[in-house]
Amino acid sequence: KFYEVTMHYRGKEKKVTALLDTGNRLYEPVSRRPVHVVTYEAVRELCESVAQVVYIPFESVGKKDGVMPGIFLDEMEVRQGDEVKVIEKPLVAVCKKELSLNGEYQMLLHEE
């Protein structure tokens, strides 16, 4: 399932295409907040500087004990058709690598 996501940060906004990742089990370890994953290319103009970085541990195929930097956005609108869900202060992990081979999407949405 693909969604249009509008990320908001300090008065700026950026639209990306996101894939609902039913296998995403990333949570911030202290607050247990769900973590969405976005490419660096998708957020670099939106978040030229950030006030706070949270480091999120992860494991994936071929990578044990990895860590990704995460940032809290101001808001994120997740749209599919006429349905819109607004998420306040979402936590997104920033990934240097592309998430899809053909650039079809730039974000993985947490199932929650």
Side-chain angles (χ1 to χ4, degrees):
K1 289 187 168 182
F2 291 101
Y3 296 82
E4 180 184 279
V5 174
T6 305
M7 301 178 290
H8 298 270
Y9 187 73
R10 293 184 177 172
K12 293 182 180 180
E13 68 177 50
K14 171 79 177 187
K15 289 185 182 187
V16 296
T17 300
L19 173 71
L20 178 63
D21 184 3
T22 58
N24 179 350
R25 301 288 180 256
L26 276 180
Y27 290 91
E28 192 278 323
V30 176
S31 68
R32 300 295 302 155
R33 290 176 68 132
V35 179
H36 311 279
V37 180
V38 68
T39 63
Y40 171 75
E41 289 299 318
V43 294
R44 72 181 181 149
E45 296 168 14
L46 181 68
C47 306
E48 293 171 0
S49 65
V50 295
Q52 178 185 16
V53 175
V54 177
Y55 289 96
I56 303 152
F58 75 95
E59 288 184 14
S60 65
V61 175
K63 180 83 171 171
K64 279 198 137 200
D65 302 324
V67 176
M68 279 191 290
I71 55 175
F72 288 96
L73 299 176
D74 294 332
E75 181 182 274
M76 196 164 77
E77 296 170 18
V78 180
R79 180 182 314 273
Q80 188 181 45
D82 293 336
E83 285 187 48
V84 178
K85 179 178 181 179
V86 176
I87 303 170
E88 297 290 332
K89 298 290 183 193
L91 178 56
V92 295
V94 181
C95 177
K96 286 277 191 177
K97 295 182 180 179
E98 293 298 319
L99 297 172
S100 69
L101 293 176
N102 58 3
E104 196 172 14
Y105 53 90
Q106 303 79 39
M107 177 181 269
L108 296 173
L109 289 174
H110 194 283
E111 194 171 31
E112 271 188 45

